[in-house]
Structure formats: structure tokens, C-alpha cells
Amino acid sequence: MSDAVWAGLAGVLLLVAAACTRPEPAVPAEGALAAFSGLEGRIDIGGGTAHIPVMQEAARRIMTAYPRIAITIEGGGSGVGVKKVSEGLVHIGNTGRPLKNSEQEAAGLQSFAFAVDGVALCVHPDNPVASLTTAQARAIWGGSMTNWREVGGPDLAIQLYNRDEASGTREVFWEKLLAKGPIADRANVLASNGAMKVAVAHDRGALGYISIGHIDPTLKPVSLDAVEPTQENAVSGAYPVVRHLFMNTRGKPGPLVQAFINYIYSAEGAQIIQSAGYIPAPAPGGGPR
Amino acid sequence: MSRLASLLVVLGVAGVAAFLVASALPLFASGEFFEILLGRWRPYASPGEFGIAPMIVGTILLAATATLLAAPAAIGLVAFAHGIAPRPLARLAMASVHFMTGIPTVLYGFVSVSLLVPFLRNAGAGGFSLLGAGLTLAALVLPTITLTLHSRIEATGLEVRLDCAALGMRPADTFLRVLLPRSGPGLLSATLLGFCRAAGDTVVALMVAGNAPQFPSSYLDSVRTLTAHIALVLSTDWSSPEFRSIAAAGLLLFVFNTALTAALRRLGPAEPPHVRELR
């Protein structure tokens, strides 16, 4: 190789090195972010898909203020969250359901509930049906009611959209709304909250369910026994299909991961949780937010 | 170097086989294996049933649909390239088929979910269904069948073509009456190869077939394949009965694929024997 090329390579390396050792920002971060001062390293996060908007916004703010902290976020669902954190592949494994005893004991996991989320039935925006009773919902999902006409809608077959076997959203829906009742074999199965949104938004006959935080104008939430599925009703207890969102760590978290968890529990974290469509849960020990 | 490479490949395949057998072994020991193979999938019933029979049927039906849709199109394409079309057009056609091999399957799935599925639904022909996934997979296996058949026909000796030309046969006649009949085994193995590819695909089935664990009663029904089943259940709790079905599904796919590959090898050499005799 010619000298010029070597010189060029060395220059690039120097630039990279300079970028890596960028000094702390001149303006110190304010508020809850100040707790990250002096910390560096990386946090790998994986698991539940409902958590992603919260994790992403928190990561964006932290990494903007502290370039030496790297945070990676991936989905995969609650099942993946438990597995990866148990095996030490991620620092924080997210789940949309409480851990089973077997899971908790096998790897010494610690859970941090940080938000309350409801699971709502949803239909295509053009569907006139705005409310179902619990009995109707169970009859439809069990397969004994198959046409929207039977619940005051158009003469159209009901297309069921279920979630995969490892989904935390599915578990809450099945346990709390269907009371572990049957689900018709013909129900389609989708692998994420996002896929559910796309499928229901394109099918006039669709009946699916989704985390309330994911509801947007492309689909229409359905009231259950005349109670609207809003986060307010979920927190007050009026809407029954409710779950907590958890972060889980293997053993006691290290200083950086602990700082991240504290940040999610801070007032600023609460604001991030709210703008993602969830209700902040109180910090463990009942401290102020 | 080449020995090392082949050793690595053999070790890899043997490793996969050993892993699959090892994970399915507890199922054989407890006698659960055949229960899983023949049972239905009803995790929400009590007591739950965790059989994969609907997925086996779904896999076979979907792969057969895709292959049957793609094979005639592939024969047409090869006829086009070998008899009917002028040279530049024929080359263009084969170049596009080659290009199709490079399209990631997830793109087929994405385009299908955005265009084909809504189209079928508006036409009253189901949505996420055997039909939708079959049409999508047909596009996926078309190049496999076309290129295999194409290379078999290419392998037919120049002498044969010259003989035909000397007899005054037009290229289209040559293809229909001589080249295609001679490539019978080639056509069969090309179709089997396409079937293997369709049965092994995961992403298209997962995105387009609907994944309902049922025995379909019509082409408009939602189905789940073995591969999609593995993908959907993979992240459940390791000790759950859902997760145990993966070992059975994986082993079944592996055995199935091995059997088809063995059948393909039995179908014999790349060229029919009478062509070699000519040389």
C-alpha cells in the first residue's frame, strides 16, 4: 500500500478515536439526567414490544446528554425478555406480565414495575360497533358468534386476530377478559403489537386486541361493558383488562443500569411514560415521582 | 482446503441433526412424540392440547399450492427462453428470473401484506389465507424451478437441437416435442426442489398465511406452517408444553427435507442417460 493510503487510514483512525473520547458536554445535564454524570458504558435492553417507545425516548435523552453511554433496544416479546436477561445477554429484559416463580428463581431475577397499561379490543375505524359486553366478547372469541350483525354491526364475518403464544399482551387479554376461556382455532395469529395494528387497520371485519398505548387513529378501540378503554379507566380500576409493564434485571443491577431504572422512575421518566400512552407506576418503596 | 470446507459442512449438518434428535429424545422417552404429531393445537382449552397436526397439513398444502402454481409458469418461461422468444428477449426473461433469486423473502411478505392481502379481501377471497400465501410463495419458488429446468434443458446436447433443425422442426416444436419430454426427470426434480424451498420458507408463511392452527376447509382459510409455528412459539417459557412442540416440529422438518433430498439424488444425474450416450 502506498504511503498516502496509510496516512489516510491513520487519519480516519484518529478521527474515530477522537469521536470515542469526546469530552462530557460543556453544559451539564439538568434534572434527573444529572445522575448519569461520570457514568459510562452500555445498557442492552430487550423483550416486550409495548415497552419500546418508553425505552427509546429515555435512551435518546440519556445518550444525547452523555455520549459515552450507549443504549441498545430490541423487541422480541416478553418471552424473549425473560430468556435474554436470564442468560445475561441483555442487562434489562422487559416483560408485559409478572414473572413466573420458576423464571424468577432460575436466574435470580429482580422485577421493576414502572407503568400501567390496559389491553383494549379494537376494530377497523369504519366498524360502527363501539361497545361489546364481556359475554359477547367471550362468545365471539370462543367461536360461537361469527358475524358482526349479531352485535349490532354490519352483515360481515368477524375476523379474529390473536397474538402469539409468547405475548404478554395475549396473556393479560386471555386471563382477564376471556377468563382463560377458549379461543377459536380459526383466529389469525400475529407476532407483535405493530403487526396487530397493520392487520386490523386494513380489515373491515377485524376484531383484535392491542396495548392501549399503541392505539392511534388507524384503529378504533371498543368499550367493554360500556367502559371506555382509556389509561385513566385502567388506573382507576373501572377498566379491568390491565397489566403492569416490568423491567427485569439479573440480580442487583450495576450502577449504570440502576441509574437507568431510577431515571425511568423519575418525574422526567413519568412524563416519557405518559407521552407514550401509559400511566406511570409508583416507584418501589413508594417514593415520590 | 476443500477437505476442511467439506468437513465443516458435514460437521454442521451432523450437529443440527444431533441437536434436533437430542431435544426430541425426551418426547420419545415419554411417548409424547406421536401425541404431538397427531394432536391438535388448543393451548386455550383445559386441559390444553399441544399437537402440531394442523401445522403439518398446513405446510404440505401451502408448499403444494405454491409449487403447482409456479411449475406451469416455470415451464412457460423456459419454453419462452428456449423456443419462442427471439434471443435478446429470452436473455432478458432469464436475467429477470435470476434477479428474482436475490429478492429477500421478507420483501415478498411485505408487498403481499400491503397489496395482495387487501386485494384478495376486497375481492371476497379471504385475507390472510392459504391462497394469499400460496400465490406469494409461488413467486418465491418460481426461480428455483425455472433455473433448474433451464439448466437441464441447456444440458441437452447441441446434436439433438441440430438433428431437430435438420428435420425442419421449428424451435417451438423442438422444445415441446423433444426437449421437454426428454427432461421429464429434470422437471420432476425441479418441482421437488421448488416444493422443498416452499416448505422451508418461514417469513412469507408467518406474514401472509394468517397462522391460525386449524385444518383448513377452503383456500380462503388461514393456516399455520411448521416453520411459522416454530417462529411463533420460540420465545415461550422453555419448560412450557408450547415450547416442547418445537423439538417435534424441527425434527419433522429435518427428516422431511432429508427424505426429499435423498429422493432428488435418486432421480439421478443432471442429464438424461441417452444424452450422454450421444456424446
Side-chain angles (χ1 to χ4, degrees), chain A residues 76 79-80 83 87 100 103 161-166 170 174 180-183 185-189 191 199 202-203, chain B residues 40-44 113 118 121 128 206 209-214 222 224 232-238 242-243:
Chain A
V80 170
K83 262 183 215 179
E87 290 167 12
K100 293 169 190 152
E103 290 171 340
Y161 289 96
N162 193 7
R163 284 286 309 277
D164 57 283
E165 279 75 1
R170 203 265 312 147
W174 183 53
K180 299 199 175 188
I183 294 179
D185 286 350
R186 64 187 166 80
N188 294 300
V189 177
H202 287 104
D203 188 349
Chain B
R40 304 194 63 150
W41 184 261
R42 289 199 167 125
Y44 307 116
V113 167
R121 190 176 286 134
F128 294 105
L206 188 64
N211 302 319
Q214 62 179 349
S222 163
R224 187 186 292 195
L232 282 170
V233 176
L234 196 58
S235 44
T236 53
D237 181 2
W238 282 27
E242 285 97 334
F243 193 83

Side-chain angles (χ1 to χ4, degrees), chain A residues 59-133:
Chain A
R60 192 186 65 76
R61 294 190 189 187
I62 295 165
M63 289 194 289
T64 311
Y66 297 95
R68 287 198 207 173
I69 299 175
I71 303 177
T72 69
I73 299 156
E74 53 188 71
S78 297
V80 170
V82 175
K83 262 183 215 179
K84 286 207 164 168
V85 74
S86 300
E87 290 167 12
L89 296 175
V90 295
H91 302 100
I92 298 177
N94 290 324
T95 56
R97 57 170 172 83
L99 296 180
K100 293 169 190 152
N101 280 338
S102 59
E103 290 171 340
Q104 195 149 20
E105 279 156 17
L109 298 184
Q110 289 207 4
S111 283
F112 301 88
F114 67 95
V116 179
D117 179 30
V119 176
L121 288 167
C122 57
V123 296
H124 190 273
D126 292 351
N127 192 325
V129 175
S131 182
L132 290 171
T133 65

Side-chain angles (χ1 to χ4, degrees), chain A residues 167-217:
Chain A
S167 155
T169 313
R170 203 265 312 147
E171 191 149 320
V172 173
F173 171 79
W174 183 53
E175 284 179 3
K176 301 224 165 138
L177 206 162
L178 300 185
K180 299 199 175 188
I183 294 179
D185 286 350
R186 64 187 166 80
N188 294 300
V189 177
L190 300 160
S192 68
N193 273 309
M196 176 66 81
K197 210 191 287 191
V198 172
V200 173
H202 287 104
D203 188 349
R204 283 166 195 281
L207 177 64
Y209 56 87
I210 194 164
S211 150
I212 292 180
H214 273 78
I215 290 176
D216 65 21

